[in-house]
């Protein structure tokens, strides 16, 4: 069993040493809880569990900590991909829910598995997801002062379970102050992808990740026989050609964990049962 989680880039908001430590401590707690959960659950279930915990922490730009868009509203996106079934499900620009990733999970057995905007909210309400305000005072003050803080925040999790099954889940609160209707990479296969060979979750500038098809390229290259390390290297070299800003975490079917970032500021942690690793 292996698990790795990420909390986006430190540059996603105004960072202090105190905030950095708080994020690291939160990731440590979340990965410990998720590892215990993984012992009795599947990769897909655990990915959702871990991302929901990240969404609940206002330190990260997802769920409760989500950024406000240019019209003052919070809209979130999230997706789940089960490597065994190779089915992708997600929500785009959903409003007023606590955990977008749980709505994405509900959609996994539907014929229509990716919903956006009002339709996603109607579906969530019809399936018992209660209204929830994800706005926190910090985000409102940022909006009122028209402060832009980078749009580099996303959370994600990649898991290999005891049966050798892989899954990836990713969630975001968006850029912050983006054009209404803007779609991030988090609910696309560019930002979140898995099959039987590899699973990957990305963070960074969504437009760069989509242009590079980052997650899909890495997973496809591993499927075609490259090592996960080489698949990351080649994909990030292509990202550099467009001066792209991104980070990614991944696990292959052999349990090899790998990460790479175009800028050394991503915050993430991994656990393989023997060694607890806080990389950033």
């Amino acid at each position: 069993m292996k698990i790795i989680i990420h909390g986006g880039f430190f540059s996603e908001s105004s960072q202090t040493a105190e905030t950095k430590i708080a994020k690291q401590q939160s990731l440590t707690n979340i990965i410990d809880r998720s590892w215990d959960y993984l012992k009795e659950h599947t990769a897909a279930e655990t990915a959702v569990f871990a991302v929901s915990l990240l969404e609940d922490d206002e330190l990260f730009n997802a769920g409760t900590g989500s950024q406000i868009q240019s019209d003052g509203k919070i809209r979130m996106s999230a997706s789940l991909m089960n490597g065994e079934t190779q089915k992708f499900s997600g929500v785009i620009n959903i409003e007023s829910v606590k955990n977008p990733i749980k709505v994405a999970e509900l959609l996994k057995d539907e014929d229509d598995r990716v919903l956006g905007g009002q339709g996603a909210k109607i579906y969530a309400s019809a399936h018992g997801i209660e209204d929830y305000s994800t706005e926190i005072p910090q985000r409102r003050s940022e909006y009122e002062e028209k402060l832009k803080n980078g749009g580099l925040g996303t959370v994600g999790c990649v898991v290999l379970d005891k049966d050798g099954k892989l899954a990836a889940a990713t969630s975001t609160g968006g850029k912050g102050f983006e054009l209404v209707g803007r779609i991030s990479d988090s609910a696309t296969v560019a930002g979140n992808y898995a099959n039987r060979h590899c699973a990957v979750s990305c963070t960074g500038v969504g437009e760069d990740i989509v242009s590079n098809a980052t997650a899909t390229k890495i997973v496809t290259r591993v499927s075609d026989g490259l090592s996960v390390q080489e698949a990351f290297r080649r994909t990030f070299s292509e990202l550099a050609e467009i001066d792209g800003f991104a980070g990614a975490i991944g696990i292959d079917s052999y349990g090899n964990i790998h990460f790479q970032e175009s800028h050394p500021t991503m915050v993430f942690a991994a656990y393989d049962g023997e060694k607890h690793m806080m990389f950033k």
Side-chain angles (χ1 to χ4, degrees):
M1 299 190 302
K2 300 289 175 70
I3 183 170
I4 183 168
I5 61 177
H6 71 76
F9 283 89
F10 278 131
S11 53
E12 73 180 73
S13 60
S14 178
Q15 293 296 325
T16 64
E18 183 178 335
T19 301
K20 181 176 181 178
I21 291 170
K23 285 189 173 185
Q24 291 173 332
Q25 290 174 338
S26 179
L27 287 179
T28 300
N29 174 60
I30 289 170
I31 204 164
D32 284 342
R33 292 177 62 185
S34 300
W35 177 261
D36 288 339
Y37 189 87
L38 176 58
K39 294 174 183 176
E40 303 296 332
H41 294 84
T42 67
E45 291 168 342
T46 303
V48 170
F49 176 79
V51 168
S52 69
L53 294 179
L54 288 160
E55 289 175 336
D56 290 344
D57 191 329
E58 66 183 48
L59 286 169
F60 303 106
N61 179 22
T64 301
S66 292
Q67 299 294 333
I68 292 176
Q69 295 191 351
S70 59
D71 63 349
K73 293 184 178 181
I74 292 172
R75 299 179 180 88
M76 303 161 285
S77 298
S79 67
L80 168 68
M81 187 151 188
N82 185 320
E84 180 191 21
T85 63
Q86 295 185 54
K87 288 186 177 181
F88 180 98
S89 58
V91 291
I92 297 171
N93 285 333
I94 191 170
E95 298 181 43
S96 301
V97 298
K98 184 179 182 182
N99 296 111
I101 193 61
K102 291 185 178 179
V103 187
E105 182 183 33
L106 285 173
L107 283 162
K108 65 181 173 51
D109 296 320
E110 300 284 358
D111 290 333
D112 304 321
R113 293 193 294 274
V114 181
L115 299 180
Q118 183 180 8
K121 175 58 177 171
I122 290 170
Y123 178 87
S125 298
H127 287 78
I129 303 293
E130 297 180 355
D131 284 352
Y132 182 85
S133 175
T134 54
E135 185 174 314
I136 59 176
Q138 175 191 349
R139 301 295 183 249
R140 174 55 58 181
S141 65
E142 287 170 355
Y143 175 71
E144 290 173 349
E145 295 172 16
K146 299 188 182 301
L147 297 176
K148 297 188 177 183
N149 59 11
L152 305 174
T154 307
V155 302
C157 178
V158 178
V159 184
L160 175 69
D161 66 24
K162 60 182 180 293
D163 296 317
K165 298 172 184 176
L166 289 157
T170 307
S171 182
T172 187
K175 268 185 177 182
F177 309 98
E178 63 264 60
L179 293 175
V180 176
R182 181 255 182 185
I183 294 172
S184 77
D185 66 288
S186 297
T188 76
V189 295
N192 190 70
Y193 196 68
N195 64 12
R196 297 184 181 94
H197 303 282
C198 185
V200 172
S201 171
C202 297
T203 184
V205 176
E207 285 73 11
D208 293 346
I209 293 167
V210 170
S211 295
N212 186 52
T214 304
T216 304
K217 278 185 177 179
I218 293 170
V219 172
T220 299
R221 283 169 165 157
V222 174
S223 301
D224 288 344
L226 290 186
S227 69
V228 66
Q229 293 86 354
E230 180 62 14
F232 267 77
R233 189 195 68 76
R234 290 195 188 185
T235 303
F236 272 78
S237 68
E238 292 166 350
L239 181 70
E241 293 174 5
I242 60 169
D243 194 27
F245 193 121
I249 57 173
I251 305 176
D252 68 16
S253 58
Y254 299 103
N256 297 307
I257 293 175
H258 196 69
F259 74 93
Q260 193 161 334
E261 57 209 337
S262 61
H263 295 67
T265 52
M266 188 165 68
V267 53
F268 58 98
Y271 205 149
D272 64 5
E274 297 178 358
K275 181 184 293 185
H276 187 208
M277 298 168 284
M278 174 63 69
F279 294 110
K280 295 287 185 181

